[in-house]
Amino acid sequence: MKTIQEKMLFLYKFSQAPKQVGSITPSSAFLAKKMLEAIDWREVRHVAELGAGTGAITKYIGEYNANRADVILFEKDTLLRDRLTNDYPGYACYADACNLRETLRAEGVDQLDCILSGLPFFNFPQGLRDRLMDEIVASLKPGGLFIAFQYSQQMKKQLSRLFEIEHVHYVPLNIPPAFVYVCRKRYDTYE
């Protein structure tokens, strides 16, 4: 259950940078679990979470991550990133998902098996969306999963050009209600 302190911090961060944060409250447990249950955790060695925020999804990774895959978190906000580093000392934590490939090299990881995203793509200019998508596609292994939640279906067209969309789940028990895109990198995608 989210603490009042976590909710207040999230609301404060939203008021400071609404286009970067994207919502007034952290993601619900229903949303987090819908994202994480789409993954075959027996096959995952390396996973990244983009836009980890207050850790609303991060805190459930341990429940699913039975084989103890390496986890790399990305959070742009310094205060939130510091909290994540403190709360999840076993996970590497970085500032900018636009440097995903560079981060993987620094971590000694060739490619990721799965990328989870809470980034508010709808709020980003198209150039930033494209740059992030280039990093995401290049960082995923062929057949790897990209699982992202969004508050609209605005990204569906761009995602369908880059991935096979396996499912789009609607999660009404979240504020605001969200869509979870479960996408798989095509085996014939070249970086």
Side-chain angles (χ1 to χ4, degrees):
M1 182 172 235
K2 296 179 204 90
T3 66
I4 296 295
Q5 181 183 20
E6 182 180 301
K7 287 181 180 182
M8 294 304 293
L9 175 61
F10 206 90
L11 181 60
Y12 170 74
K13 290 299 179 180
F14 176 80
S15 72
Q16 298 298 304
K19 289 197 178 275
Q20 185 176 322
V21 176
S23 175
I24 61 169
T25 187
S27 301
S28 70
F30 299 102
L31 178 59
K33 291 177 179 184
K34 183 56 75 176
M35 292 180 72
L36 295 170
E37 71 188 18
I39 302 165
D40 182 354
W41 286 93
R42 296 168 300 180
E43 303 294 321
V44 174
R45 292 180 41 233
H46 306 287
V47 62
E49 181 185 355
L50 315 182
T54 59
I57 295 167
T58 314
K59 68 182 163 191
Y60 293 101
I61 290 175
E63 290 179 25
Y64 288 84
N65 189 9
N67 288 347
R68 300 294 169 229
D70 294 325
V71 179
I72 304 170
L73 305 175
F74 289 84
E75 176 51 52
K76 202 167 192 81
D77 183 273
T78 304
L79 176 62
L80 296 179
R81 190 173 59 255
D82 289 346
R83 283 183 53 144
L84 289 165
T85 300
N86 185 59
D87 292 348
Y88 304 98
Y91 300 167
C93 197
Y94 291 87
D96 196 347
C98 285
N99 299 323
L100 189 52
R101 286 180 282 189
E102 180 182 318
T103 300
L104 293 183
R105 283 191 293 276
E107 288 290 320
V109 175
D110 291 328
Q111 290 187 304
L112 295 164
D113 300 292
C114 181
I115 297 174
L116 301 162
S117 176
L119 295 175
F121 287 104
F122 181 79
N123 295 341
F124 297 161
Q126 189 62 49
L128 178 56
R129 284 186 219 165
D130 292 342
R131 182 173 174 203
L132 284 163
M133 283 296 144
D134 287 347
E135 288 289 320
I136 290 165
V137 170
S139 298
L140 269 178
K141 72 176 189 179
L145 286 176
F146 176 58
I147 302 172
F149 76 84
Q150 297 290 287
Y151 300 121
S152 74
Q153 294 198 45
Q154 186 248 0
M155 284 294 292
K156 190 172 188 178
K157 187 174 182 180
Q158 184 169 6
L159 290 173
S160 67
R161 284 194 304 265
L162 299 169
F163 300 97
E164 292 297 328
I165 298 177
E166 294 186 344
H167 301 285
V168 179
H169 301 285
Y170 179 64
V171 182
L173 298 175
N174 192 69
I175 300 173
F179 296 93
V180 173
Y181 291 87
V182 180
C183 307
R184 189 168 301 277
K185 181 177 176 179
R186 295 180 183 101
Y187 284 90
D188 61 349
T189 302
Y190 299 98
E191 287 79 55

